[in-house]
Every structure is written in structure tokens, then in C-alpha cells.
Amino acid sequence: MPGSGRHEGFSQAERTAVTAPVPPSPLPRPALDSHTHLDMVDLPVSQVVAAARAAGIVRIVTVGTDVESSRWSVRCAEDHDGVYAAVAIHPNEVFARGDDPPQPPAHGRAARPPVPPREVLAEIEALAGSPQVVAVGETGLDYYRDHAAPDVQRWWFREHIKIAKRAGRALMIHDREAHADILRILEEEGPPDRVVFHCFSGDVPMVKQCAEAGYVMSFAGNVTFGNAQPLRAAAAAAPADLILAETDAPFLTPVPNRGKPNEPALTADTLRCLAEVKGMDLADLCDAVTATAARTFGPW
């Protein structure tokens, strides 16, 4: 940002060194990043994948949030070994159906092109049939932001559930301050065989509800934050065979790199935190998340 002054007088290489995360020590067993956004990581994909492998993260699921990023995710998975895709319209990107009253663009965004929602969903379903796609997501509900009305979000979420079931793909859920409605809609629609709560944010009672339903809970870097004791309690309560780890990069960078750009390699730091919280050997946890991922997203 012009005028920030923080790194003035440094070369680009020196500025990069200051802001680059500290690479984690390699994991004792292979694992994966179950949710990232490689299109938003400001580094070449080949470099990101190589750094992840050096840390023991051998598979990466890169996630679409709209049609364009979903297409990109599929192409990225086609071009890079060990990278897989998820496709969907994020709840903050959904828009009113044709029979809904028109809504003004949120937060100063440009008006959306007049593409009927059914056409958008048809393209997501077509992309979901690609061999590189392992999940329909991220879809769900976001009651924290007001980019789309709750009833509009709920309609799109139900449609994505139907796509996941027809495509035979896992459902990857974005759930922000919407736990009760997410669980209710899943029950009403009938969930797909495989459901993942990305960046799990529930409490211990919600862990028990998810575990009873067989839903997978994926924990991101915020589980390492100093103020995240309730989330660590949830992770401790979650069955080891229903846990995944993710970065949600470039967001939610785990300790000890909090405040720096996130990337899939740093899943290793989150896994170390989860192993400590659960009182598990790190190698055993890596094996557990690998098995859960194969059951959820595979066969690879």
C-alpha cells in the first residue's frame, strides 16, 4: 500500500523474505490440504505444490467460489499432479432467482450479468462431472456477511445439495453463523453420502451432531490461534476418523506464521496443533486424515 512505510528501502526480494512464512518441518507421514484457493495465492502453482510436498502435504483440493474460479480450479487440477478441484457458487456470490425481486449489488460491487441461476447451476453440475473434481463446494450459508439474503442463500444451498447427490461428489459446506439452518436443511433435503464442514466453527454439541450424522469436520489454521480455545475443545471432541485439516489459503494462516500469507504447506502446522489437542501421535493423525480424505474425496 502506498505510503505504508513498513518495508520502504528494502528490495522486492527482501520484502518477500520478510513476509514469507517460515516453512514447517516435514510431517512424519503424508497428509493433505482439504481446502484451499490456489487462484488467490499470490505464487506460481508449481511453486506452491512443491513447497507443500516438501512439508509432507501431497494432495491439495483447490476450491471454486463462482463459475470462473470453478473453471480455473478444474484446469489447475488437470495441469498439476496431486491437485484436485471443488466447484460451486459461494453463498456470498449467489444472487436472486428470476422470480425474486432484484437486489442491488452488495458493497459497491459491479452489477452481475443477467445469467439465469439455472444456467449457472447447470455449468457447476457439468464441471462437477469432471474426473478432477472431488467435491461440490464451497456452498452453504453465511449469516455473518450480508452479500445475499438468507432465503436466497438457502435456495442455492439446496440446489447444490441436489447437484452433489446427482454427481456422486462430496458436499463441501461453508457454514458461518448458520449452524442450525445448515443442519436442518441437510436433514430436510437428505444429505449426500459424504459431507464436509469446511473450516469447522461449531462447538462441542455440534461436533456430536455432526459425528452422529457421519459428517466430516475440517479444521483450518484458526484452531491454532490464542483465542480459539472453544474451537480446540471442539477438535478434541471430534472423532479422529471424521477429521480433516485445511488452510483455506490465503486466509487463516496458522501459528507460528499468523499474519503472513497462507499456503498449503502450512497445513502441517495445523496438523501439529490438532495432534497436540487430541493427544495423538502426529504420524497417526496424518494416517487418519489421509484415510478420511480417501473415503471422502477418493478414490484418487
Side-chain angles (χ1 to χ4, degrees):
M1 180 183 296
S4 69
R6 184 176 179 187
H7 295 138
E8 288 181 3
F10 290 86
S11 69
Q12 180 61 49
E14 288 169 326
R15 287 196 296 271
T16 300
V18 168
T19 59
V22 177
S25 300
L27 293 167
R29 297 267 209 286
L32 80 155
D33 181 353
S34 72
H35 187 114
T36 194
H37 300 279
L38 290 178
D39 59 322
M40 301 183 195
V41 176
D42 193 21
L43 292 167
V45 173
S46 58
Q47 180 179 330
V48 173
V49 171
R53 287 177 179 157
I57 302 300
V58 299
R59 291 188 176 93
I60 298 166
V61 181
T62 188
V63 180
T65 57
D66 56 19
V67 169
E68 182 179 355
S69 61
S70 293
R71 291 173 185 153
W72 187 95
S73 296
V74 174
R75 292 195 302 269
C76 181
E78 290 172 343
D79 293 342
H80 298 276
D81 290 341
V83 176
Y84 303 85
V87 298
I89 310 299
H90 190 285
N92 290 338
E93 300 293 333
V94 301
F95 52 98
R97 307 188 305 274
D99 55 349
D100 289 326
Q103 295 180 333
H107 301 284
R109 298 188 201 178
R112 295 183 180 277
V115 179
R118 291 291 182 190
E119 290 186 18
V120 173
L121 289 164
E123 178 154 8
I124 292 299
E125 184 158 4
L127 289 170
S130 302
Q132 294 79 16
V133 171
V134 297
V136 171
E138 61 186 287
T139 179
L141 303 175
D142 190 325
Y143 292 169
Y144 176 78
R145 302 192 186 279
D146 61 353
H147 291 184
D151 62 324
V152 173
Q153 293 187 46
R154 290 190 286 266
W155 182 83
W156 284 81
F157 181 39
R158 290 179 188 274
E159 294 303 309
H160 279 84
I161 292 172
K162 295 170 187 174
I163 290 173
K165 290 196 285 190
R166 289 194 297 262
R169 298 290 190 257
L171 182 72
M172 183 179 283
I173 293 176
H174 174 103
D175 167 22
R176 193 164 188 188
E177 298 188 4
H179 306 327
D181 274 3
I182 291 277
L183 292 170
R184 175 181 59 81
I185 290 171
L186 284 171
E187 184 176 0
E188 289 174 355
E189 292 291 329
D193 292 337
R194 296 162 291 163
V195 173
V196 180
F197 277 78
H198 132 72
C199 194
F200 185 80
S201 59
D203 55 13
V204 171
M206 186 174 174
V207 165
K208 293 178 179 177
Q209 287 181 277
C210 288
E212 288 174 3
Y215 300 154
V216 173
M217 292 155 273
S218 183
F219 290 87
N222 55 335
V223 75
T224 72
F225 295 175
N227 62 353
Q229 185 53 43
L231 187 57
R232 287 191 287 275
D241 63 347
L242 290 176
I243 283 180
L244 290 173
E246 63 174 80
T247 56
D248 199 21
F251 314 107
L252 299 177
T253 309
V255 174
N257 286 295
R258 187 176 183 185
K260 296 182 178 182
N262 203 1
E263 60 180 274
L266 302 187
T267 314
D269 291 327
T270 298
L271 282 163
R272 286 187 165 89
C273 174
L274 289 171
E276 182 177 352
V277 163
K278 297 191 69 60
M280 289 182 67
D281 179 79
L282 179 58
D284 291 342
L285 180 60
C286 290
D287 289 346
V289 299
T290 296
T292 297
R295 192 173 68 248
T296 303
F297 300 128
W300 303 107

PDB file of all heavy atoms in Angstrom, residues 84-106:
ATOM      1  N   TYR A  84      -6.573 -31.396  -6.829  1.00  0.00           N
ATOM      2  CA  TYR A  84      -7.940 -31.772  -7.148  1.00  0.00           C
ATOM      3  C   TYR A  84      -8.825 -30.532  -6.996  1.00  0.00           C
ATOM      4  O   TYR A  84      -8.412 -29.530  -6.408  1.00  0.00           O
ATOM      5  CB  TYR A  84      -8.408 -32.908  -6.235  1.00  0.00           C
ATOM      6  CG  TYR A  84      -7.495 -34.105  -6.324  1.00  0.00           C
ATOM      7  CD1 TYR A  84      -6.340 -34.178  -5.542  1.00  0.00           C
ATOM      8  CD2 TYR A  84      -7.741 -35.138  -7.223  1.00  0.00           C
ATOM      9  CE1 TYR A  84      -5.466 -35.254  -5.654  1.00  0.00           C
ATOM     10  CE2 TYR A  84      -6.876 -36.215  -7.329  1.00  0.00           C
ATOM     11  CZ  TYR A  84      -5.736 -36.263  -6.552  1.00  0.00           C
ATOM     12  OH  TYR A  84      -4.864 -37.327  -6.661  1.00  0.00           O
ATOM     13  N   ALA A  85     -10.032 -30.603  -7.509  1.00  0.00           N
ATOM     14  CA  ALA A  85     -10.879 -29.423  -7.555  1.00  0.00           C
ATOM     15  C   ALA A  85     -12.207 -29.641  -6.847  1.00  0.00           C
ATOM     16  O   ALA A  85     -12.721 -30.766  -6.778  1.00  0.00           O
ATOM     17  CB  ALA A  85     -11.136 -29.009  -9.005  1.00  0.00           C
ATOM     18  N   ALA A  86     -12.758 -28.538  -6.336  1.00  0.00           N
ATOM     19  CA  ALA A  86     -14.144 -28.477  -5.880  1.00  0.00           C
ATOM     20  C   ALA A  86     -14.794 -27.294  -6.589  1.00  0.00           C
ATOM     21  O   ALA A  86     -14.129 -26.276  -6.829  1.00  0.00           O
ATOM     22  CB  ALA A  86     -14.220 -28.298  -4.374  1.00  0.00           C
ATOM     23  N   VAL A  87     -16.068 -27.427  -6.932  1.00  0.00           N
ATOM     24  CA  VAL A  87     -16.737 -26.409  -7.742  1.00  0.00           C
ATOM     25  C   VAL A  87     -18.078 -26.053  -7.122  1.00  0.00           C
ATOM     26  O   VAL A  87     -18.816 -26.928  -6.663  1.00  0.00           O
ATOM     27  CB  VAL A  87     -16.926 -26.884  -9.198  1.00  0.00           C
ATOM     28  CG1 VAL A  87     -15.579 -27.143  -9.857  1.00  0.00           C
ATOM     29  CG2 VAL A  87     -17.788 -28.144  -9.287  1.00  0.00           C
ATOM     30  N   ALA A  88     -18.397 -24.742  -7.115  1.00  0.00           N
ATOM     31  CA  ALA A  88     -19.679 -24.291  -6.558  1.00  0.00           C
ATOM     32  C   ALA A  88     -19.759 -22.776  -6.656  1.00  0.00           C
ATOM     33  O   ALA A  88     -18.803 -22.101  -7.052  1.00  0.00           O
ATOM     34  CB  ALA A  88     -19.822 -24.719  -5.101  1.00  0.00           C
ATOM     35  N   ILE A  89     -20.906 -22.266  -6.234  1.00  0.00           N
ATOM     36  CA  ILE A  89     -21.099 -20.838  -6.039  1.00  0.00           C
ATOM     37  C   ILE A  89     -21.155 -20.580  -4.535  1.00  0.00           C
ATOM     38  O   ILE A  89     -22.030 -21.091  -3.838  1.00  0.00           O
ATOM     39  CB  ILE A  89     -22.398 -20.332  -6.701  1.00  0.00           C
ATOM     40  CG1 ILE A  89     -22.489 -20.812  -8.157  1.00  0.00           C
ATOM     41  CG2 ILE A  89     -22.480 -18.812  -6.607  1.00  0.00           C
ATOM     42  CD1 ILE A  89     -21.377 -20.331  -9.067  1.00  0.00           C
ATOM     43  N   HIS A  90     -20.197 -19.828  -4.045  1.00  0.00           N
ATOM     44  CA  HIS A  90     -20.093 -19.500  -2.620  1.00  0.00           C
ATOM     45  C   HIS A  90     -21.354 -18.736  -2.177  1.00  0.00           C
ATOM     46  O   HIS A  90     -21.920 -17.964  -2.947  1.00  0.00           O
ATOM     47  CB  HIS A  90     -18.849 -18.626  -2.438  1.00  0.00           C
ATOM     48  CG  HIS A  90     -18.445 -18.382  -1.026  1.00  0.00           C
ATOM     49  ND1 HIS A  90     -19.123 -17.502  -0.207  1.00  0.00           N
ATOM     50  CD2 HIS A  90     -17.410 -18.848  -0.292  1.00  0.00           C
ATOM     51  CE1 HIS A  90     -18.528 -17.460   0.977  1.00  0.00           C
ATOM     52  NE2 HIS A  90     -17.490 -18.265   0.948  1.00  0.00           N
ATOM     53  N   PRO A  91     -21.804 -18.920  -0.944  1.00  0.00           N
ATOM     54  CA  PRO A  91     -23.007 -18.195  -0.506  1.00  0.00           C
ATOM     55  C   PRO A  91     -22.892 -16.677  -0.584  1.00  0.00           C
ATOM     56  O   PRO A  91     -23.908 -15.988  -0.710  1.00  0.00           O
ATOM     57  CB  PRO A  91     -23.206 -18.668   0.943  1.00  0.00           C
ATOM     58  CG  PRO A  91     -21.923 -19.310   1.343  1.00  0.00           C
ATOM     59  CD  PRO A  91     -21.322 -19.856   0.089  1.00  0.00           C
ATOM     60  N   ASN A  92     -21.674 -16.139  -0.530  1.00  0.00           N
ATOM     61  CA  ASN A  92     -21.516 -14.696  -0.693  1.00  0.00           C
ATOM     62  C   ASN A  92     -21.565 -14.265  -2.151  1.00  0.00           C
ATOM     63  O   ASN A  92     -21.536 -13.060  -2.445  1.00  0.00           O
ATOM     64  CB  ASN A  92     -20.198 -14.225  -0.075  1.00  0.00           C
ATOM     65  CG  ASN A  92     -20.213 -14.300   1.438  1.00  0.00           C
ATOM     66  OD1 ASN A  92     -21.276 -14.302   2.062  1.00  0.00           O
ATOM     67  ND2 ASN A  92     -19.048 -14.387   2.040  1.00  0.00           N
ATOM     68  N   GLU A  93     -21.616 -15.227  -3.071  1.00  0.00           N
ATOM     69  CA  GLU A  93     -21.636 -14.922  -4.506  1.00  0.00           C
ATOM     70  C   GLU A  93     -22.977 -15.234  -5.155  1.00  0.00           C
ATOM     71  O   GLU A  93     -23.137 -15.027  -6.357  1.00  0.00           O
ATOM     72  CB  GLU A  93     -20.534 -15.719  -5.222  1.00  0.00           C
ATOM     73  CG  GLU A  93     -19.126 -15.430  -4.721  1.00  0.00           C
ATOM     74  CD  GLU A  93     -18.678 -14.019  -5.041  1.00  0.00           C
ATOM     75  OE1 GLU A  93     -19.171 -13.443  -6.023  1.00  0.00           O
ATOM     76  OE2 GLU A  93     -17.834 -13.482  -4.294  1.00  0.00           O
ATOM     77  N   VAL A  94     -23.924 -15.747  -4.400  1.00  0.00           N
ATOM     78  CA  VAL A  94     -25.205 -16.123  -5.000  1.00  0.00           C
ATOM     79  C   VAL A  94     -26.039 -14.872  -5.254  1.00  0.00           C
ATOM     80  O   VAL A  94     -25.786 -13.803  -4.700  1.00  0.00           O
ATOM     81  CB  VAL A  94     -25.971 -17.125  -4.115  1.00  0.00           C
ATOM     82  CG1 VAL A  94     -25.146 -18.372  -3.891  1.00  0.00           C
ATOM     83  CG2 VAL A  94     -26.387 -16.503  -2.783  1.00  0.00           C
ATOM     84  N   PHE A  95     -27.048 -15.023  -6.081  1.00  0.00           N
ATOM     85  CA  PHE A  95     -27.906 -13.893  -6.422  1.00  0.00           C
ATOM     86  C   PHE A  95     -29.328 -14.384  -6.601  1.00  0.00           C
ATOM     87  O   PHE A  95     -29.591 -15.589  -6.682  1.00  0.00           O
ATOM     88  CB  PHE A  95     -27.397 -13.167  -7.669  1.00  0.00           C
ATOM     89  CG  PHE A  95     -27.149 -14.069  -8.850  1.00  0.00           C
ATOM     90  CD1 PHE A  95     -28.090 -14.203  -9.852  1.00  0.00           C
ATOM     91  CD2 PHE A  95     -25.962 -14.795  -8.955  1.00  0.00           C
ATOM     92  CE1 PHE A  95     -27.867 -15.032 -10.947  1.00  0.00           C
ATOM     93  CE2 PHE A  95     -25.726 -15.627 -10.041  1.00  0.00           C
ATOM     94  CZ  PHE A  95     -26.680 -15.755 -11.037  1.00  0.00           C
ATOM     95  N   ALA A  96     -30.253 -13.451  -6.669  1.00  0.00           N
ATOM     96  CA  ALA A  96     -31.664 -13.783  -6.620  1.00  0.00           C
ATOM     97  C   ALA A  96     -32.108 -14.576  -7.835  1.00  0.00           C
ATOM     98  O   ALA A  96     -31.609 -14.392  -8.943  1.00  0.00           O
ATOM     99  CB  ALA A  96     -32.493 -12.497  -6.523  1.00  0.00           C
ATOM    100  N   ARG A  97     -33.061 -15.472  -7.619  1.00  0.00           N
ATOM    101  CA  ARG A  97     -33.656 -16.217  -8.709  1.00  0.00           C
ATOM    102  C   ARG A  97     -34.514 -15.280  -9.547  1.00  0.00           C
ATOM    103  O   ARG A  97     -34.852 -14.166  -9.124  1.00  0.00           O
ATOM    104  CB  ARG A  97     -34.535 -17.354  -8.173  1.00  0.00           C
ATOM    105  CG  ARG A  97     -33.820 -18.266  -7.194  1.00  0.00           C
ATOM    106  CD  ARG A  97     -34.670 -19.487  -6.850  1.00  0.00           C
ATOM    107  NE  ARG A  97     -35.989 -19.158  -6.356  1.00  0.00           N
ATOM    108  CZ  ARG A  97     -36.265 -18.894  -5.083  1.00  0.00           C
ATOM    109  NH1 ARG A  97     -35.295 -18.886  -4.196  1.00  0.00           N
ATOM    110  NH2 ARG A  97     -37.497 -18.634  -4.700  1.00  0.00           N
ATOM    111  N   GLY A  98     -34.916 -15.755 -10.706  1.00  0.00           N
ATOM    112  CA  GLY A  98     -35.712 -14.930 -11.600  1.00  0.00           C
ATOM    113  C   GLY A  98     -37.037 -14.494 -11.003  1.00  0.00           C
ATOM    114  O   GLY A  98     -37.563 -13.430 -11.331  1.00  0.00           O
ATOM    115  N   ASP A  99     -37.591 -15.299 -10.088  1.00  0.00           N
ATOM    116  CA  ASP A  99     -38.878 -14.940  -9.513  1.00  0.00           C
ATOM    117  C   ASP A  99     -38.728 -14.152  -8.218  1.00  0.00           C
ATOM    118  O   ASP A  99     -39.696 -13.845  -7.536  1.00  0.00           O
ATOM    119  CB  ASP A  99     -39.726 -16.186  -9.249  1.00  0.00           C
ATOM    120  CG  ASP A  99     -39.003 -17.214  -8.383  1.00  0.00           C
ATOM    121  OD1 ASP A  99     -37.783 -17.054  -8.161  1.00  0.00           O
ATOM    122  OD2 ASP A  99     -39.650 -18.171  -7.939  1.00  0.00           O
ATOM    123  N   ASP A 100     -37.479 -13.821  -7.843  1.00  0.00           N
ATOM    124  CA  ASP A 100     -37.242 -12.979  -6.682  1.00  0.00           C
ATOM    125  C   ASP A 100     -37.134 -11.519  -7.110  1.00  0.00           C
ATOM    126  O   ASP A 100     -36.743 -11.231  -8.246  1.00  0.00           O
ATOM    127  CB  ASP A 100     -35.918 -13.376  -5.993  1.00  0.00           C
ATOM    128  CG  ASP A 100     -36.035 -14.714  -5.295  1.00  0.00           C
ATOM    129  OD1 ASP A 100     -37.120 -15.013  -4.778  1.00  0.00           O
ATOM    130  OD2 ASP A 100     -35.041 -15.444  -5.290  1.00  0.00           O
ATOM    131  N   PRO A 101     -37.431 -10.582  -6.224  1.00  0.00           N
ATOM    132  CA  PRO A 101     -37.211  -9.178  -6.573  1.00  0.00           C
ATOM    133  C   PRO A 101     -35.729  -8.915  -6.765  1.00  0.00           C
ATOM    134  O   PRO A 101     -34.893  -9.498  -6.073  1.00  0.00           O
ATOM    135  CB  PRO A 101     -37.762  -8.420  -5.355  1.00  0.00           C
ATOM    136  CG  PRO A 101     -37.736  -9.413  -4.244  1.00  0.00           C
ATOM    137  CD  PRO A 101     -37.985 -10.744  -4.873  1.00  0.00           C
ATOM    138  N   PRO A 102     -35.356  -8.063  -7.715  1.00  0.00           N
ATOM    139  CA  PRO A 102     -33.935  -7.792  -7.934  1.00  0.00           C
ATOM    140  C   PRO A 102     -33.305  -7.139  -6.720  1.00  0.00           C
ATOM    141  O   PRO A 102     -33.965  -6.389  -5.992  1.00  0.00           O
ATOM    142  CB  PRO A 102     -33.941  -6.847  -9.144  1.00  0.00           C
ATOM    143  CG  PRO A 102     -35.297  -6.232  -9.131  1.00  0.00           C
ATOM    144  CD  PRO A 102     -36.222  -7.282  -8.603  1.00  0.00           C
ATOM    145  N   GLN A 103     -32.026  -7.454  -6.488  1.00  0.00           N
ATOM    146  CA  GLN A 103     -31.299  -6.891  -5.361  1.00  0.00           C
ATOM    147  C   GLN A 103     -30.169  -6.012  -5.880  1.00  0.00           C
ATOM    148  O   GLN A 103     -29.526  -6.351  -6.876  1.00  0.00           O
ATOM    149  CB  GLN A 103     -30.716  -7.994  -4.482  1.00  0.00           C
ATOM    150  CG  GLN A 103     -31.783  -8.848  -3.816  1.00  0.00           C
ATOM    151  CD  GLN A 103     -31.151  -9.924  -2.960  1.00  0.00           C
ATOM    152  OE1 GLN A 103     -30.035 -10.354  -3.212  1.00  0.00           O
ATOM    153  NE2 GLN A 103     -31.859 -10.349  -1.940  1.00  0.00           N
ATOM    154  N   PRO A 104     -29.882  -4.899  -5.201  1.00  0.00           N
ATOM    155  CA  PRO A 104     -28.764  -4.063  -5.633  1.00  0.00           C
ATOM    156  C   PRO A 104     -27.438  -4.767  -5.377  1.00  0.00           C
ATOM    157  O   PRO A 104     -27.351  -5.633  -4.498  1.00  0.00           O
ATOM    158  CB  PRO A 104     -28.907  -2.818  -4.756  1.00  0.00           C
ATOM    159  CG  PRO A 104     -29.632  -3.301  -3.532  1.00  0.00           C
ATOM    160  CD  PRO A 104     -30.571  -4.372  -4.019  1.00  0.00           C
ATOM    161  N   PRO A 105     -26.397  -4.444  -6.134  1.00  0.00           N
ATOM    162  CA  PRO A 105     -25.084  -5.042  -5.885  1.00  0.00           C
ATOM    163  C   PRO A 105     -24.626  -4.743  -4.463  1.00  0.00           C
ATOM    164  O   PRO A 105     -24.850  -3.649  -3.943  1.00  0.00           O
ATOM    165  CB  PRO A 105     -24.179  -4.354  -6.919  1.00  0.00           C
ATOM    166  CG  PRO A 105     -25.114  -3.808  -7.943  1.00  0.00           C
ATOM    167  CD  PRO A 105     -26.384  -3.493  -7.235  1.00  0.00           C
ATOM    168  N   ALA A 106     -24.016  -5.733  -3.815  1.00  0.00           N
ATOM    169  CA  ALA A 106     -23.575  -5.566  -2.428  1.00  0.00           C
ATOM    170  C   ALA A 106     -22.206  -4.909  -2.367  1.00  0.00           C
ATOM    171  O   ALA A 106     -21.327  -5.191  -3.174  1.00  0.00           O
ATOM    172  CB  ALA A 106     -23.519  -6.929  -1.731  1.00  0.00           C
TER     173      ALA A 106
END
